[in-house]
Amino acid sequence: MLLQMAVCARLCGVGQSRRCRRRQRHSQDQNSDSEVDMDEEEEEERVVGKMKDEPNGSSSSCQNRRGAGPSGAGGLCGSAGPPHPQSLLDLPPELVVQIFSSLPGTALPNLALVCKKFRQYLNTETIWRRRCTEEFGMRDDLRKMETVGMSSRDLYVKLLHPYRHILGLWQPDIGPYGGLLNVVVDGVFIIGWMYLPPHDPRVEDPMRRRPLFRIHMWEKNKATVECMYGHKGPHKGDIQTGKKDEFSTKCNQTDHHRMPGGRQEEFRTWLEEEWGRTLEDIFHEHMQELILMKFIYTSQYDNCLTYRRIYLPPCLPSDLLQPGLFKGTYGSHGLEIIMLSFHGSKAKATKLTGDPNVPAGQLTLEIDLNRPVRLPDLETQSSMEELSRLVRGVHEEAQGGSQGRDAPAEAAEGAEGSDSAPPAGAEEDEPGEPEPQPFVLPLGVMARNEVYPRTCKKCFYGTGLIAGHGFTSPERTPGLFVLFDGDRFGFIWLELKSFSLYSRLSDQLPHAQAPSMQLFEAMLRNMQSWTS
């Protein structure tokens, strides 16, 4: 901060005045956010008009120093009307405003500490309007906001800048169930949307959203936090930021969450929203128990929640398909959200939402991209025994290490031809996409959704994580990863004799890309430790 102020002072040509130095010493004892200091000044003139009223557009501090330089040249400020500007204050005010508006918003409060003239420049709405647009994507909303008397400067300084750290994707700490929260700038609000999978088993339907909280500036020209949970409308809430990449929400009026009919009415409403049906429509007794258990557990978190930041995985040209978020079928547990990422010769699917058997944060699938499997003909595919023998053969080779780690696995028995498919990311012998292969599920394999693609691009050996209730006795069991297209894939669980179909989330998720692969992998390790 001090270095930046010194540079700005030299550009100004005046150095730091006593007042600037006092303000600098005072700022060291304050919080790093300097918007409070910016609001102290009573002068609210528009800088361009102010500069036109002053001769040569220079500050009084500069005028007092004219003639102080060698040969009466006026030092850095120069004489009146220099042929070439030697400081920012020699430039036309409109140009200075354009320069300041191109700087990141986090640097602007420090500029206000340099001198009075810089402070006047920063009262210009053009600067803050551009910051709101470039940093937070606001355009039409700014015009609506300004028509009701709210300035872009106030919006940036009091709402967008203080809460910028909570924008992006987060995983709520709801025990094994997890979740997906997306905090975005939505109009003149900051809203936290909880993303919910479609109703089971419609995996290809769009995601559902429910607002959990919002932050706005409609009242008293200051940021107000409101809880959106329940059915009685917005009410008082609070947001606390402590550790890095973590924040908490708290409801101050939990009575807004209750319903007149008590817990029974709350359960019926929750069941309709969560599953799209009534308890009488669910005939499977085990599923009824799982649903009731989830309601009892998650309702404990309706007044206070903690969130941890998550990132979208980086994308490389060699990836088998674009990484990202998918929704998939998990038997009696319904639809869950997973994150697909690529790590060299491995593809990993990590749960963002989970269940009492395999909780959120765990590695549900791990695919070996160096062990492709070529499917046999449709008649042989329909035999669970034949498919199991094919995949388990590759599994034994992978476990025993009889083949090199980077050598492709050959599935010669029952395969069409003796050539195995090339490793993921390698060039095909012929240009273009690989020819689609016919695909059918073996008889006896359970699938929540009978509508699935009947052709696939590639198949690979992989393992899936299964466990008992309470994540007891977890183990990785062999299975077959089936790539249908760029937005859908499936996994056949040999041990469970079941099939999971996954479909990509199509929602736009800003402020969520991982800064680097190292930080993303560190995040995955932390996610597993949260629920291990």
Side-chain angles (χ1 to χ4, degrees):
M1 178 188 297
L2 297 178
L3 178 61
Q4 190 174 30
M5 292 171 60
V7 172
C8 291
R10 294 198 59 171
L11 289 173
C12 179
V14 302
Q16 295 181 3
S17 65
R18 291 196 195 94
R19 187 179 182 188
C20 289
R21 286 195 291 271
R22 285 199 304 270
R23 192 177 294 120
Q24 175 187 330
R25 289 195 298 270
H26 179 68
S27 67
Q28 292 174 348
D29 299 328
Q30 300 297 322
N31 190 280
S32 59
D33 293 332
S34 304
E35 61 268 17
V36 175
D37 182 65
M38 296 180 65
D39 288 332
E40 293 174 356
E41 185 71 35
E42 295 178 357
E43 183 176 357
E44 294 293 338
E45 297 175 322
R46 290 187 59 87
V47 63
V48 174
K50 177 68 176 176
M51 293 298 294
K52 288 180 179 178
D53 294 337
E54 295 186 4
N56 300 325
S58 60
S59 67
S60 58
S61 57
C62 279
Q63 291 170 350
N64 293 336
R65 287 162 174 78
R66 293 194 187 278
S71 302
L76 289 174
C77 285
S79 58
H84 301 289
Q86 298 183 24
S87 78
L88 284 178
L89 293 177
D90 292 331
L91 297 175
E94 295 85 352
L95 184 56
V96 178
V97 168
Q98 186 174 356
I99 294 173
F100 281 9
S101 64
S102 66
L103 298 174
T106 52
L108 299 181
N110 296 334
L111 281 178
L113 302 178
V114 175
C115 65
K116 181 179 178 180
K117 195 56 60 180
F118 277 20
R119 194 182 184 87
Q120 292 172 353
Y121 278 123
L122 290 173
N123 286 328
T124 310
E125 275 291 286
T126 305
I127 296 174
W128 302 100
R129 190 180 299 119
R130 180 172 174 182
R131 289 299 92 221
C132 292
T133 300
E134 292 187 0
E135 296 181 23
F136 300 99
M138 301 188 69
R139 287 179 176 81
D140 296 336
D141 299 313
L142 287 176
R143 299 187 184 95
K144 298 176 184 177
M145 178 196 67
E146 290 170 355
T147 59
V148 297
M150 187 185 302
S151 69
S152 300
R153 179 179 182 272
D154 284 344
L155 183 71
Y156 188 96
V157 170
K158 298 177 181 179
L159 178 66
L160 300 179
H161 182 268
Y163 291 99
R164 70 192 185 280
H165 296 303
I166 70 170
L167 298 178
L169 289 182
W170 303 83
Q171 186 178 44
D173 184 6
I174 314 180
Y177 298 103
L180 179 64
L181 179 81
N182 187 26
V183 183
V184 298
V185 177
D186 193 334
V188 293
F189 297 91
I190 292 178
I191 300 182
W193 294 100
M194 181 70 85
Y195 275 65
L196 305 172
H199 292 140
D200 181 56
R202 300 195 293 269
V203 69
E204 297 196 39
D205 283 3
M207 294 286 289
R208 298 173 294 130
R209 298 192 310 171
R210 184 176 69 196
L212 288 192
F213 64 85
R214 71 180 185 182
I215 314 171
H216 61 80
M217 285 184 55
W218 293 123
E219 300 175 4
K220 300 179 181 178
N221 202 27
K222 68 176 183 179
T224 301
V225 179
E226 293 180 331
C227 176
M228 304 289 288
Y229 190 87
H231 300 269
K232 296 183 180 180
H235 47 283
K236 291 182 180 180
D238 189 26
I239 289 181
Q240 298 176 348
T241 55
K243 300 178 182 178
K244 183 183 178 183
D245 294 333
E246 183 177 306
F247 77 96
S248 300
T249 57
K250 182 180 179 181
C251 176
N252 297 329
Q253 293 178 292
T254 54
D255 56 300
H256 280 64
H257 303 175
R258 307 282 79 88
M259 288 187 165
R263 296 291 278 174
Q264 289 187 352
E265 183 182 359
E266 292 170 14
F267 175 66
R268 286 195 299 268
T269 304
W270 175 87
L271 184 61
E272 178 121 12
E273 292 177 350
E274 188 84 7
W275 291 82
R277 62 183 82 175
T278 65
L279 196 61
E280 292 74 21
D281 296 332
I282 303 173
F283 301 106
H284 198 290
E285 185 175 347
H286 179 57
M287 183 179 289
Q288 290 181 352
E289 294 175 354
L290 291 173
I291 291 174
L292 184 59
M293 184 188 309
K294 184 175 183 179
F295 170 74
I296 295 173
Y297 193 98
T298 56
S299 61
Q300 303 175 55
Y301 293 84
D302 66 346
N303 65 330
C304 187
L305 265 177
T306 298
Y307 304 87
R308 298 183 180 95
R309 182 180 294 280
I310 57 177
Y311 296 112
L312 293 178
C315 181
L316 298 175
S318 58
D319 291 342
L320 181 66
L321 70 160
Q322 182 181 351
L325 305 185
F326 292 77
K327 44 198 184 300
T329 56
Y330 278 86
S332 301
H333 298 294
L335 300 187
E336 299 185 8
I337 306 172
I338 64 102
M339 176 185 292
L340 180 69
S341 56
F342 293 90
H343 310 260
S345 62
K346 301 287 186 182
K348 298 181 179 181
T350 305
K351 281 191 172 188
L352 298 185
T353 62
D355 52 70
N357 290 71
V358 179
Q362 295 300 313
L363 185 62
T364 179
L365 303 178
E366 186 172 35
I367 314 304
D368 190 342
L369 301 177
N370 280 336
R371 298 186 182 276
V373 176
R374 188 176 295 277
L375 293 177
D377 56 68
L378 285 177
E379 183 177 353
T380 309
Q381 282 186 50
S382 62
S383 169
M384 183 62 189
E385 182 179 350
E386 287 297 321
L387 181 64
S388 179
R389 184 162 61 92
L390 182 68
V391 176
R392 288 187 186 278
V394 182
H395 178 68
E396 291 174 2
E397 292 177 352
Q399 295 296 105
S402 59
Q403 238 177 331
R405 182 176 178 181
D406 295 330
E410 294 191 17
E413 294 184 357
E416 295 178 340
S418 57
D419 294 333
S420 61
E427 294 292 330
E428 298 286 345
D429 291 336
E430 295 183 6
E433 291 289 325
E435 287 294 325
Q437 307 175 60
F439 174 79
V440 65
L441 284 176
L443 297 175
V445 171
M446 297 179 294
R448 297 291 294 171
N449 196 331
E450 295 296 333
V451 179
Y452 62 89
R454 299 308 168 113
T455 60
C456 65
K457 288 184 174 182
K458 294 180 179 181
C459 297
F460 296 89
Y461 157 79
T463 60
L465 182 62
I466 63 175
H469 186 83
F471 198 40
T472 55
S473 305
E475 63 172 321
R476 305 208 68 86
T477 61
L480 183 68
F481 175 87
V482 185
L483 176 63
F484 296 115
D485 52 44
D487 295 323
R488 293 177 297 177
F489 64 88
F491 190 79
I492 300 177
W493 306 73
L494 297 185
E495 186 82 14
L496 304 177
K497 292 185 178 180
S498 67
F499 172 72
S500 292
L501 178 64
Y502 300 85
S503 178
R504 184 185 299 277
L505 269 70
S506 58
D507 304 74
Q508 296 294 322
L509 302 172
H511 306 285
Q513 206 63 40
S516 66
M517 192 65 186
Q518 291 77 11
L519 285 176
F520 177 77
E521 291 179 339
M523 179 207 73
L524 289 184
R525 292 191 295 270
N526 290 334
M527 288 177 65
Q528 293 183 24
S529 67
W530 297 340
T531 54
S532 294

